[in-house]
């Protein structure tokens, strides 16, 4: 419309020329912003990949630990860290997902009145809790009050507090996306409400819920504060969630970062300086990213399966 | 099988808002009754009270009695889930379950109502329902494909098959053809003719010709005035409603003088 009221340079042919120019400008701006947004992502991935690839392709990365290895030594693996992170996150997921799903189902399908509003409010608050605060809370309860020992499972508990709000939020959104018509179609067949939720609503929202769970896992897998407070870091193998310090990928990144330093070695008759700790730090970072990505793929696979077979 | 429906003094509310006031009617078994009237007069609302779908909406309530073969379905000890098993419903927009195949859509009612049926028995019911809905020949080779992959008219017939697979005694249809082309519409009208041998059918429609073609009796609903609740103006033989209605409002509506 503006092209008619503002006589531009193309006033002789109002409309088409200016309109095309506007279209081109808008297109350029949109693609430009898209590329701009991509820059940090690609940059980050490239940095981690190029610096970490050397470590994770080295011998023993997925089979060894860092036992007795200093920044002057090459080699060693990340198995102890992978095991720790996987165990802690798995326990956290097993506790969080059922609770979060039930809360989301309550909020969307049943929640009315003050209790629902209070629940939403709590979830909001939980979303904003910094991980270090969650960690201190767990420490205060289990270590100070009940004089327990620091261990991996306490990390899981702290992570639960961070994961639940993420999964509740995304699940809630996914459930609200399920059209009411489907619920009504099911009720009209004489199907009780709970069965409608389990057999119609959840399967319809399944792929979105899976994505939400993976987002939650990704959110907690890289958390460092609870590790520092609740389990510390060990370079040795320890697959026991319930006793002793445990390795973890964020813990390993931090540990290697704290011991950066170069060593001079002889290679082919020349003296070269190498950074073993830095290599391993990037390797651990890359491993963490790969872990989350693998999980993402797995979730997609499960979601697409469940859609076909239900 | 088919049952008779008596509405006595129905007042239907959304929260405090009285949507439809003081409705009385009787619907004979094995008949087709059409609900007509201007938009917003409460046709869908009345239809949804017949199988207790109205109360699914938050705050929605019903006063009065609705008798199914003499038994009040709003009685204190009546489970709405059982009412809906007896009184099936087809909606305005086709709504097959998107995660399910054509077969599973038709079998959904039986499977979800908890009855454990043998696969062979289920096969029989699915075929019978699809045949009754005039859809069998079109889908028999792709029963395992998703129901959402059918055309709109096929989806609506799939929804009808799904509704009759659980063998209800009454079938309610809320503008079942409004999203369909003339050919699919005819297919569904034919279907209604054959279904009335077994079921009591109530159909809401904005299409007068359709009401005249498929129904034996017609109920005309109207708004008493702006901001006033909807009401049932009259219910009578379809032929009488369309040729010589008792009420002036009905005549005006039918002849297109308002609405
Ligand atoms: N979910 C709802 N909440 C509140 N009011 C509603 C709701 N659904 C319908 N109403 C109101 O109830 C009255 C009757 O609506 P209803 O949908 O029954 O009309 P209708 O005759 O089916 O109209 P149409 O021909 O357009 O489908 C209207 O005033 C409408 O605004
Ligand atoms: Mg309606």
């Amino acid at each position: 419309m503006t092209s008619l009221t503002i006589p531009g340079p193309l006033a002789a042919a109002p409309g088409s020329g200016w309109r095309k120019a506007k279209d081109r400008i808008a297109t350029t701006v949109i693609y430009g912003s898209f590329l701009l947004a991509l820059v940090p992502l690609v940059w980050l991935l490239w940095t981690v990949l190029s610096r970490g690839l050397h470590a994770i392709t080295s011998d023993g990365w997925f089979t060894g630990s860092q036992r007795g290895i200093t920044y002057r030594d090459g080699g060693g693996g990340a198995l102890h860290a992978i095991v720790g992170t996987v165990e802690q996150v798995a326990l956290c997921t097993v506790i969080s997902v059922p609770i979060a799903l039930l809360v989301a189902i309550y909020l969307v399908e049943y929640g009315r009145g003050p209790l629902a509003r209070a629940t939403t409010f709590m979830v909001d608050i939980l979303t904003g809790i910094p991980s270090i605060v969650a960690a201190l809370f767990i420490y205060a309860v289990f270590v100070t009050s009940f004089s327990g020992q620091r261990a991996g499972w306490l990390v899981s508990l702290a992570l639960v507090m961070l994961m639940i709000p993420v999964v509740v939020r995304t699940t809630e959104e996914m459930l609200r996306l399920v059209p009411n018509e489907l619920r009504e179609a099911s009720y009209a067949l004489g199907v009780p409400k709970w069965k409608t939720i389990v057999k119609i609503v959840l399967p319809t929202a399944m792929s979105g819920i899976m994505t939400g769970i993976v987002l939650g896992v990704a959110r907690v897998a890289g958390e460092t504060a609870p590790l520092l407070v609740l389990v510390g870091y060990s370079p040795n193998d320890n697959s026991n969630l319930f006793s002793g310090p445990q390795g973890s990928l964020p813990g390993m990144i931090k540990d290697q970062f704290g011991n950066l330093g170069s060593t001079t070695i002889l290679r082919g008759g020349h003296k070269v300086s190498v950074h073993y700790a830095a290599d391993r730090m990037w390797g651990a970072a890359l491993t963490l990213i790969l872990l989350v990505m693998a999980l993402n793929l797995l979730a997609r696979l499960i979601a697409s399966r469940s859609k076909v077979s239900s | 099988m088919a049952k008779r429906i008596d509405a006595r003094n129905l007042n239907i509310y959304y929260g405090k808002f009285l949507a439809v006031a003081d409705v009385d009617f009787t619907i004979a078994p094995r008949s087709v009754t059409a609900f007509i009237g201007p938009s917003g007069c409460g046709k869908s609302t009345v239809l949804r009270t017949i199988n207790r779908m109205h109360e699914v909406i938050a705050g929605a309530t019903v006063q009065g009695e609705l008798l199914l073969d003499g038994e009040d379905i709003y009685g204190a000890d009546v489970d709405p889930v059982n009412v809906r098993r007896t009184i099936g419903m087809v909606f305005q927009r086709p709504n097959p379950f998107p995660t399910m195949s054509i077969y599973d859509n038709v079998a959904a009612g039986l499977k979800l109502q908890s009855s454990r049926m043998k696969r062979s028995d289920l096969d029989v019911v699915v075929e019978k329902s699809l045949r009754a809905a005039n859809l069998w020949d079109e889908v028999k080779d792709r029963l395992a494909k998703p129901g959402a992959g059918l055309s709109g008219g096929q989806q609506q017939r799939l929804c009808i098959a799904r509704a009759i697979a659980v063998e209800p005694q009454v079938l309610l249809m809320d503008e079942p053809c409004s999203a369909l082309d003339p050919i699919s519409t005819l297919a569904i009208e034919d279907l209604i003719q054959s279904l009335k041998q077994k079921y009591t059918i109530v159909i809401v429609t904005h299409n007068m010709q359709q009401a005249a073609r498929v129904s034996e009796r017609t109920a005309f609903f109207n708004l008493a005035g702006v901001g006033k609740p909807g009401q049932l103006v009259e219910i009578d033989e379809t032929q009488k409603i369309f040729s010589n209605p008792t009420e002036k409002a009905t005549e005006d509506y039918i002849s297109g003088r308002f609405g």
Side-chain angles (χ1 to χ4, degrees):
Chain A
M1 276 294 116
T2 47
S3 63
L4 295 178
T5 53
I6 303 169
L10 297 168
S16 91
W18 175 227
R19 197 155 58 224
K20 274 191 188 145
K22 272 200 291 192
D23 181 50
R24 266 199 302 278
I25 294 170
T27 311
T28 316
V29 169
I30 287 174
Y31 276 102
S33 333
F34 170 67
L35 290 177
L36 207 65
L38 225 54
V39 168
L41 181 67
V42 173
W43 195 350
L44 182 142
L45 284 179
W46 173 249
T47 309
V48 177
L49 198 66
S50 60
R51 299 193 188 201
L53 204 59
H54 177 65
I56 78 164
T57 50
S58 66
D59 264 358
W61 180 259
F62 291 104
T63 49
S65 71
Q66 290 293 315
R67 176 179 205 129
I69 291 176
T70 72
Y71 74 95
R72 291 176 201 284
D73 311 307
L79 184 65
H80 67 299
I82 297 173
V83 167
T85 291
V86 168
E87 282 184 354
Q88 290 159 11
V89 171
L91 179 62
C92 160
T93 309
V94 167
I95 300 172
S96 305
V97 168
I99 298 176
L101 289 190
L102 289 175
V103 170
I105 290 173
Y106 165 74
L107 285 177
V108 175
E109 306 289 340
Y110 294 94
R112 301 252 149 73
L115 182 57
R117 276 199 298 280
T119 311
T120 307
F121 183 61
M122 302 288 217
V123 173
D124 277 342
I125 291 188
L126 218 50
T127 312
I129 288 190
S131 55
I132 184 88
V133 176
L136 288 178
F137 168 69
I138 297 290
Y139 189 93
V141 171
F142 287 90
V143 181
T144 312
S145 304
F146 291 113
S147 50
Q149 291 298 309
R150 300 205 308 168
W153 72 285
L154 294 180
V155 175
S156 303
L157 290 189
L159 296 182
V160 164
M161 295 168 54
L162 306 174
M163 186 160 171
I164 283 181
V166 178
V167 180
V168 169
R169 266 291 122 77
T170 44
T171 305
E172 224 187 312
E173 250 154 54
M174 292 306 139
L175 293 180
R176 286 192 205 284
L177 280 182
V178 175
N180 235 341
E181 295 158 22
L182 293 183
R183 297 186 179 87
E184 294 207 334
S186 177
Y187 299 151
L189 287 172
V191 180
K193 182 166 184 171
W194 67 269
K195 216 162 193 175
T196 300
I197 294 169
V198 174
K199 297 282 188 169
I200 306 289
V201 179
L202 285 181
T204 307
M206 188 51 89
S207 62
I209 293 175
M210 284 290 186
T211 311
I213 293 172
V214 172
L215 279 179
V217 169
R219 161 91 169 76
V220 300
E223 279 298 344
T224 315
L227 296 165
L228 297 181
V229 175
L230 294 168
V231 72
Y233 173 76
S234 153
N236 306 330
D237 285 316
N238 174 14
S239 59
N240 189 347
L241 264 177
F242 298 96
S243 109
Q246 249 191 330
S248 58
L249 286 165
M252 179 172 167
I253 294 173
K254 197 203 146 279
D255 182 55
Q256 301 295 328
F257 182 76
N259 294 299
L260 291 179
S262 63
T263 314
T264 313
I265 61 164
L266 275 176
R267 187 181 282 159
H270 298 284
K271 281 188 175 172
V272 289
S273 96
V274 291
H275 303 80
Y276 289 126
D279 280 356
R280 286 192 291 257
M281 178 184 81
W282 289 108
L286 182 58
T287 309
L288 187 57
I289 292 181
L290 290 179
L291 207 65
V292 172
M293 259 161 50
L295 213 78
N296 205 325
L297 287 180
L298 189 74
R300 270 162 211 269
L301 205 74
I302 295 173
S304 68
R305 279 268 179 88
S306 70
K307 199 164 222 169
V308 177
S309 65
S310 65
Chain B
M1 271 294 286
K3 296 207 170 177
R4 165 197 161 96
I5 306 166
D6 291 284
R8 305 243 174 97
N9 251 316
L10 286 183
N11 286 306
I12 311 172
Y13 293 84
Y14 290 102
K16 289 206 171 69
F17 171 62
L18 176 59
V20 186
D22 209 11
V23 172
D24 279 271
F25 58 74
T26 295
I27 291 172
R30 282 187 210 82
S31 68
V32 180
T33 304
F35 283 5
I36 62 170
S39 189
C41 64
K43 305 178 294 295
S44 301
T45 304
V46 172
L47 195 73
R48 290 167 59 93
T49 53
I50 300 179
N51 67 342
R52 295 193 65 167
M53 283 295 286
H54 179 64
E55 67 205 50
V56 167
I57 295 164
T61 51
V62 178
Q63 290 170 359
E65 284 185 333
L66 213 147
L67 309 178
L68 192 68
D69 269 4
E71 191 197 348
D72 186 6
I73 64 163
Y74 282 94
D77 52 351
V78 177
D79 182 354
V81 169
N82 286 332
V83 171
R84 293 178 203 134
R85 282 182 194 179
T86 320
I87 309 181
M89 186 162 208
V90 176
F91 297 81
Q92 179 167 359
R93 289 214 314 202
N95 52 2
F97 298 126
T99 54
M100 295 187 188
S101 66
I102 293 172
Y103 183 100
D104 287 335
N105 259 288
V106 180
L110 290 171
K111 278 191 181 168
L112 298 184
Q113 280 180 9
S114 79
S115 46
R116 291 225 159 272
M117 282 180 83
K118 278 205 303 251
R119 176 81 186 190
S120 54
D121 294 343
L122 212 53
D123 287 347
V124 173
V125 175
V126 167
E127 176 169 350
K128 202 174 80 179
S129 311
L130 282 169
R131 277 191 195 283
N134 264 330
L135 190 61
W136 175 251
D137 290 326
E138 286 156 75
V139 301
K140 62 171 185 267
D141 300 321
R142 46 170 170 159
L143 291 174
K145 293 270 158 57
L150 297 173
S151 79
Q154 290 171 328
Q155 286 187 20
Q156 192 61 300
R157 278 178 282 152
L158 179 63
C159 292
I160 294 175
R162 179 176 70 187
I164 58 186
V166 296
E167 306 220 316
Q169 285 150 28
V170 179
L171 196 58
L172 309 175
M173 304 175 132
D174 194 351
E175 302 187 46
C177 303
S178 66
L180 305 184
D181 69 300
I183 295 178
S184 310
T185 302
L186 276 184
I188 291 192
E189 286 180 12
D190 286 347
L191 180 57
I192 292 171
Q193 289 307 322
S194 64
L195 290 177
K196 78 168 185 206
Q197 323 283 337
K198 276 181 77 177
Y199 306 100
T200 306
I201 296 176
V202 184
I203 176 173
V204 174
T205 177
H206 275 290
N207 181 330
M208 308 278 183
Q209 286 83 16
Q210 182 170 67
R213 278 194 300 265
V214 301
S215 71
E216 283 124 39
R217 285 167 71 80
T218 296
F220 173 61
F221 290 84
N222 201 359
L223 284 164
V226 182
K228 297 224 182 93
Q231 53 177 225
L232 174 61
V233 176
E234 64 177 311
I235 175 168
D236 213 327
E237 302 295 321
T238 297
Q239 225 186 337
K240 180 148 187 300
I241 292 275
F242 281 94
S243 58
N244 181 25
T246 314
E247 301 289 330
K248 175 118 183 359
T250 315
E251 194 179 339
D252 288 348
Y253 182 74
I254 302 244
S255 56
R257 248 167 274 164
F258 82 89

